[in-house]
Amino acid sequence: MNWLLVALFGYVGLQLLVGLAVTSRVKSESDYLIAGRKLGPTLVVFSMFATWFGAESCIGASGAVYEQGLSGARADPLGYAACLFLLGAVFAVPLWRLKLTTLGDLFAWRYGPNVERLAVLLMVPTSILWAAAQIRAFGQVVATSSGLELQIAIALSAGVVILYTAVGGLLADAVTDVLQGGTLVVGLVVLAIAVFATGDASGMKASAWMGLPPQSSVFGRILVSRRHAFTMPSDPAV
């Protein structure tokens, strides 16, 4: 029996069950769209962490840093983190006081409905692309671990996420983010211990800081191969 596969599908199934379990707390449109404005700091922190620094950072950004040195982190995670801190320090409180539901509402309140529609038309495609990147990385992990075709793994991954989000709204998404963020942190800690225990960390550090070719480290080659699999699919339709 492939215990890795069992653990993977158990983890995915647990996310689905947790997401569906919180649906009883969704009583209104506000609960569904913005979790009733009652997430609290723990859920907000884990949700932001799991959303912005999830699969793309672990698979894509890590390989970029290995190949290019620290310059590979200028967008993800350094640029993204700077934007989040700026948003929290400058914009979060005023936006909270306005009691808006979406960013489109901000443009409608300040500039009118026509600007709101334009803003939404610009924001929706970028949100779809961002979600697609995360779903594809999720599918990549499932495909690699299970032997399924990549397209099938992506479809299954998307189905799970769409199901618990459609049923439980933002609250289901935030609660499952706690599970995902915690798993990610534990996995990165275990991975770091494994890398240093095998003595492969010296080659990784040299390449990350000096921009050396990835051939000096076995683990680095794994990072680069995973990044290429994530960023350059062989099937253009994916």
Side-chain angles (χ1 to χ4, degrees):
M1 180 178 291
N2 188 338
W3 291 107
L4 177 61
L5 184 59
V6 173
L8 176 63
F9 280 103
Y11 168 71
V12 173
L14 180 61
Q15 289 188 72
L16 183 58
L17 291 176
V18 170
L20 295 177
V22 303
T23 57
S24 60
R25 297 176 57 184
V26 179
K27 306 296 185 182
S28 65
E29 180 179 313
S30 176
D31 290 340
Y32 184 81
L33 295 177
I34 51 178
R37 303 183 190 274
K38 299 177 182 178
L39 286 180
T42 300
L43 285 177
V44 169
V45 168
F46 271 98
S47 184
M48 295 293 287
F49 172 71
T51 300
W52 283 87
F53 305 106
E56 184 182 0
S57 296
C58 291
I59 299 177
S62 56
V65 170
Y66 186 82
E67 288 185 307
Q68 305 169 24
L70 286 181
S71 64
R74 58 189 178 274
D76 186 4
L78 298 182
Y80 294 165
C83 289
L84 290 176
F85 279 116
L86 179 63
L87 178 65
V90 179
F91 300 106
V93 173
L95 290 175
W96 172 266
R97 289 173 178 168
L98 289 173
K99 301 300 181 183
L100 303 173
T101 301
T102 68
L103 282 177
D105 293 339
L106 173 63
F107 289 96
W109 170 78
R110 182 64 179 83
Y111 300 105
N114 291 331
V115 176
E116 176 192 16
R117 296 187 186 98
L118 177 60
V120 170
L121 287 174
L122 294 175
M123 288 187 289
V124 166
T126 58
S127 299
I128 291 175
L129 290 174
W130 179 264
Q134 301 293 346
I135 293 297
R136 192 191 190 286
F138 189 5
Q140 184 76 47
V141 173
V142 173
T144 302
S145 304
S146 65
L148 293 172
E149 292 291 334
L150 180 59
Q151 293 86 344
I152 297 176
I154 292 175
L156 291 174
S157 302
V160 170
V161 175
I162 291 172
L163 179 59
Y164 71 67
T165 304
V167 173
L170 181 62
L171 181 60
D173 183 70
V175 172
T176 54
D177 280 342
V178 175
L179 175 61
Q180 296 165 12
T183 303
L184 179 61
V185 171
V186 172
L188 291 176
V189 171
V190 172
L191 180 61
I193 294 174
V195 169
F196 281 94
T198 58
D200 194 42
S202 59
M204 291 181 63
K205 288 189 290 186
S207 292
W209 286 96
M210 300 173 62
L212 297 177
Q215 286 77 10
S216 58
S217 169
V218 173
F219 186 75
R221 290 196 294 272
I222 296 174
L223 279 179
V224 173
S225 65
R226 287 290 180 267
R227 174 177 178 256
H228 288 169
F230 173 59
T231 57
M232 296 186 297
S234 57
D235 185 353
V238 178

